[in-house]
Amino acid sequence: MPIAPRHPLAPLDADELSAARQIVLDSGRAVVAAEDVRFAYVGLCDPPKEVVRAVDRGEDVVADRQVRLALLQGPEANVVEAVVSVTRGVVDSWLVVQDVRPPLQMEESIMVLAALEENPEWNAALDRRGIVDRSLVQVDPWPAGTFGLAHEEGRRITKCLPFLRASPDDNGYARPLEGLLAIVDMGRAEVLEVVDTGVVPLPPQLGSYYPEDNGPLRGDLKPLSITQPDGPSFVVDGNLVRWQKWSLRVGMDPLEGLVLYTVGYEDGGRVRPLLHRASVSEMVVPYGHPGPTQAWKSAFDAGEWGLGRMANSLTVGCDCVGEIFYFDDIYADERGEPRTRPQAICMHEEDYGILWKHADLWSGRTEVRRSRRLVVSSIATVGNYEYGFYWYFYLDGTMQLEVKLTGIMSTMAVGAEGAGGHASLVAPGLAAPYHQHLFNVRLDVEIDGPDNAVFEVDAVAAPPGGENPFGNAFTQTATLLESELAARRRVDPARSRAWKIANRDRVNALGQPTAYKLVPGSVPTLLADPESSVGRRAAFAAHNLWVTPFAADERRAAGDYPNQHRGGAGLPAWTAADRPVVDTDIVVWHTFGVTHIPRPEDWPVMSVEYTGFSLIPVGFFDRNPALDVPSTSGGDGHCHDG
Ligand code: NI
């Protein structure tokens, strides 16, 4: 069946996914039977930028729609990387990559649990813990990491941690079956080793967060309704969104989750480009506890599970309130068949307090404007944690990514010994290990065009004396980051450090290069030793900033296959070449996140913790671009203070 021409950045639809699957299976290149091929990744192959630009200029170009796939053929630790064209109906490339592992597979995870149920050593360990009803044992398969174990060689393995529920819908994390873990070959569903370091008493309390266990509920919350009687202010055409002066395309990648394309801002009758593509390229949750059930825990939730694969279907009035527009996510399951995840991406507008205000004391006239933002969001559930990804667009050209962390902490039982120096006691006999959540966002920037340069800007005190007789003076330094190694940088809140992404071929009315500034938060870098297993694998998290020249195959901060990877892939490998990054097509990579020292208040479910960064115009405009926002007051159009 021929595929009708689509915009090069339109999400893959069910017909295209089916066509990609059929092209793979019909190619005759698989070495296993068609029903045994597994589709570990199926995603849109980013089209060449010149094709996107030509189509957006209205030129009569038909995009070649290519699909990138990672295929599993049997239990070995290798992957077929295939690219197929659904436009031309052919396989464009087919490469067997040895000694790599794709993200953990759902079907295999279920087989792992079945294998454990049958395993005598596992059952003996459960017997030693006095567990009669095996149906109440919750087992979490974790990415195993890399520690030089013989089990790791040539296998796709998982480490499984058990918990005991009191009832089928109980919070298992309240009662870890401490001291017990199993190492299982996922491809072969073969239990390789059961490790039992000794029985630790079950924590005595349950950890329900359900309303029926936490009454009486508050009765004095009055309804708070958000209504837009004339509807929202955005317009949606396929995956193209226009809101106020913003335009952008919205997508979903199985691993990266939300993806934004061709983000631009209309100014003077034309759309000025800002970002060609933006996504969370990787994230890691390294745990800081040295014990045998904890020390290996470092989940790469994008590359080992997938922020799109784990995305929720969102519900109005709960996940999102107001006038909501939802995008469905059309994806391929592990057999390559198209599926729909309804309402995977939520879009709406939010009032955000005041945008600007001044009360003129001489005339008594007050002008105040409401701030409003467009919110594009999705939420992924990865095991015990939830991650919400919220892109915000404001009326004054500011954009922001906020990550909301919630869900249930990973726990360990500690008996009467206390939590020790690497975990917090959160309930009697129950501790949550210290850990970090470190995200890396990949920003394929195009500020006013493809060729950009990055300056590190610091506010620094001037030396006293001489030209600073009163010692009050400070200045701004702007250091051009000329090459990849020079552009490995860390935050410095004491200097208000930010990174300015400038187009030195374009100037504003004041003669300044047009620019946007990446404003980081006070965010950590990786605390693990750089030579540790996770230190090598998550080297992207050792720096808050990286800059690379654009390369289509440099997509993910820890490389394409972080699962069981020995480390060094991705940003550390690419930037070792120390390529120049000045006045060329560059990609800016920003690592941000939180170090989580758990609190009792984070238990049994944690309220949202926030992290993220902003991109704000700096000389991109000639003056405040939001002077044309009308007042929301009635009557004479401005707000009085008396
Ligand atoms: Ni946490």
Side-chain angles (χ1 to χ4, degrees):
M1 183 173 56
I3 303 285
R6 307 187 66 214
H7 188 277
L9 294 173
L12 294 169
D13 65 15
D15 287 345
E16 290 174 315
L17 290 169
S18 292
R21 176 180 185 275
Q22 210 54 51
I23 292 165
V24 163
L25 297 180
D26 289 350
S27 73
R29 302 209 199 188
V31 297
V32 295
E35 62 268 24
D36 293 330
V37 176
R38 292 293 175 270
F39 294 72
Y41 173 90
V42 183
L44 178 67
C45 198
D46 281 336
K49 295 183 187 185
E50 51 270 31
V51 171
V52 175
R53 289 175 187 140
V55 169
D56 285 346
R57 279 193 302 267
E59 293 174 21
D60 188 19
V61 177
V62 175
D64 181 23
R65 297 277 286 172
Q66 286 181 305
V67 180
R68 198 156 51 80
L69 307 101
L71 308 172
L72 282 171
Q73 308 184 93
E76 278 80 28
N78 60 46
V79 163
V80 175
E81 284 181 357
V83 174
V84 306
S85 166
V86 294
T87 310
R88 290 174 285 112
V90 297
V91 174
D92 285 330
S93 69
W94 184 281
L95 178 67
V96 180
V97 185
Q98 297 294 345
D99 198 24
V100 296
R101 287 88 176 155
L104 281 73
Q105 300 295 293
M106 300 297 167
E107 183 186 16
E108 291 184 355
S109 298
I110 292 164
M111 288 164 61
V112 163
L113 303 188
L116 278 175
E117 276 179 28
E118 304 292 315
N119 181 265
E121 286 179 75
W122 182 256
N123 281 295
L126 295 178
D127 286 342
R128 283 194 289 281
R129 287 163 174 79
I131 296 162
V132 178
D133 185 351
R134 297 291 207 262
S135 75
L136 295 173
V137 176
Q138 167 193 335
V139 179
D140 285 12
W142 276 72
T146 314
F147 295 90
L149 305 179
H151 301 313
E152 296 164 5
E153 292 300 319
R155 297 179 186 269
R156 307 196 305 269
I157 64 167
T158 178
K159 290 180 179 165
C160 296
L161 291 174
F163 304 84
L164 185 63
R165 293 182 174 223
S167 59
D169 66 351
D170 180 35
N171 173 5
Y173 300 108
R175 298 197 301 167
L177 293 169
E178 193 57 49
L180 180 58
L181 77 94
I183 303 173
V184 186
D185 183 322
M186 299 195 81
R188 299 177 179 84
E190 176 188 342
V191 180
L192 301 170
E193 186 178 354
V194 174
V195 179
D196 189 351
T197 61
V199 177
V200 176
L202 276 185
Q205 296 178 359
L206 300 182
S208 172
Y209 48 89
Y210 295 125
E212 58 270 28
D213 300 316
N214 288 286
L217 301 182
R218 303 175 194 202
D220 51 356
L221 277 171
K222 303 289 201 296
L224 194 164
S225 301
I226 295 165
T227 55
Q228 293 185 283
D230 298 333
S233 308
F234 50 74
V235 176
V236 183
D237 175 11
N239 71 332
L240 175 65
V241 177
R242 289 196 181 85
W243 178 78
Q244 290 297 299
K245 300 185 177 187
W246 291 97
S247 61
L248 55 132
R249 287 184 181 271
V250 176
M252 181 77 98
D253 178 82
L255 303 181
E256 297 172 296
L258 261 182
V259 182
L260 305 181
Y261 302 99
T262 55
V263 178
Y265 194 89
E266 192 209 312
D267 181 36
R270 67 195 173 92
V271 174
R272 299 172 67 186
L274 298 174
L275 294 166
H276 182 76
R277 189 181 188 281
S279 63
V280 172
S281 83
E282 192 51 87
M283 60 168 292
V284 64
V285 189
Y287 283 78
H289 193 285
T293 58
Q294 305 296 323
W296 49 270
K297 283 164 57 176
S298 56
F300 291 66
D301 286 335
E304 291 180 329
W305 284 114
L307 302 175
R309 289 170 82 207
M310 302 295 160
N312 299 171
S313 287
L314 303 170
T315 48
V316 71
C318 302
D319 296 299
C320 325
V321 296
E323 284 287 326
I324 306 298
F325 181 91
Y326 288 110
F327 295 94
D328 294 344
D329 175 31
I330 315 289
Y331 67 100
D333 67 15
E334 292 177 5
R335 302 200 174 214
E337 303 274 9
R339 304 272 175 214
T340 299
R341 182 179 289 109
Q343 305 193 166
I345 299 170
C346 168
M347 183 168 73
H348 69 292
E349 296 174 279
E350 279 179 3
D351 181 276
Y352 195 61
I354 61 167
L355 176 65
W356 57 262
K357 173 173 185 170
H358 185 61
D360 185 274
L361 299 180
W362 189 260
S363 68
R365 179 169 173 174
T366 294
E367 294 287 342
V368 56
R369 299 294 182 272
R370 298 298 300 172
S371 180
R372 186 191 292 207
R373 61 189 186 185
L374 178 72
V375 187
V376 181
S377 67
S378 79
I379 302 175
T381 300
V382 189
N384 49 301
Y385 264 111
E386 265 76 12
Y387 298 104
F389 299 91
Y390 291 71
W391 287 97
Y392 300 127
F393 301 88
Y394 296 85
L395 297 169
D396 64 352
T398 295
M399 63 179 288
Q400 180 186 1
L401 172 61
E402 183 172 72
V403 181
K404 301 184 183 182
L405 298 85
T406 180
I408 302 176
M409 294 180 297
S410 187
T411 52
M412 60 189 295
V414 294
E417 290 181 17
H422 307 282
S424 302
L425 199 66
V426 296
L430 184 73
Y434 302 161
H435 59 278
Q436 299 186 285
H437 303 259
L438 297 168
F439 305 85
N440 182 275
V441 66
R442 178 182 182 274
L443 302 170
D444 184 355
V445 294
E446 48 178 0
I447 306 296
D448 255 345
D451 292 347
N452 293 163
V454 181
F455 293 85
E456 180 167 276
V457 289
D458 283 355
V460 293
E467 293 178 359
N468 181 19
F470 305 106
N472 64 304
F474 61 89
T475 188
Q476 177 179 265
T477 59
T479 308
L480 178 65
L481 304 178
E482 297 194 15
S483 70
E484 290 179 299
L485 291 179
R488 295 177 172 182
R489 306 300 300 164
R490 290 188 172 190
V491 299
D492 188 348
R495 293 178 170 224
S496 302
R497 175 167 293 168
W499 294 290
K500 197 158 90 172
I501 306 154
N503 187 325
R504 301 203 291 179
D505 285 334
R506 299 274 188 281
V507 290
N508 64 12
L510 304 171
Q512 302 156 338
T514 61
Y516 260 68
K517 189 157 77 172
L518 192 169
V519 183
S522 299
V523 293
T525 46
L526 185 71
L527 287 166
D529 187 274
E531 293 306 315
S532 66
S533 175
V534 70
R536 291 192 305 272
R537 298 174 62 219
F540 72 84
H543 302 281
N544 297 111
L545 184 81
W546 305 72
V547 184
T548 58
F550 172 79
D553 59 350
E554 296 180 2
R555 292 177 289 258
R556 315 264 322 289
D560 283 341
Y561 303 103
N563 186 15
Q564 280 180 255
H565 200 280
R566 290 174 188 82
L571 283 170
W574 307 323
T575 58
D578 202 22
R579 296 167 292 187
V581 290
V582 176
D583 300 335
T584 186
D585 186 2
I586 56 170
V587 177
V588 173
W589 311 70
H590 174 44
T591 302
F592 62 95
V594 298
T595 297
H596 190 177
I597 306 294
R599 305 172 297 156
E601 291 87 346
D602 294 333
W603 182 256
V605 64
M606 63 178 275
S607 299
V608 164
E609 181 171 13
Y610 302 87
T611 184
F613 67 94
S614 296
L615 287 167
I616 67 169
V618 182
F620 188 82
F621 302 106
D622 300 332
R623 61 206 314 232
N624 187 338
L627 298 177
D628 58 352
V629 174
S631 171
T632 45
S633 71
D636 57 6
H638 54 85
C639 298
H640 293 279
D641 57 356

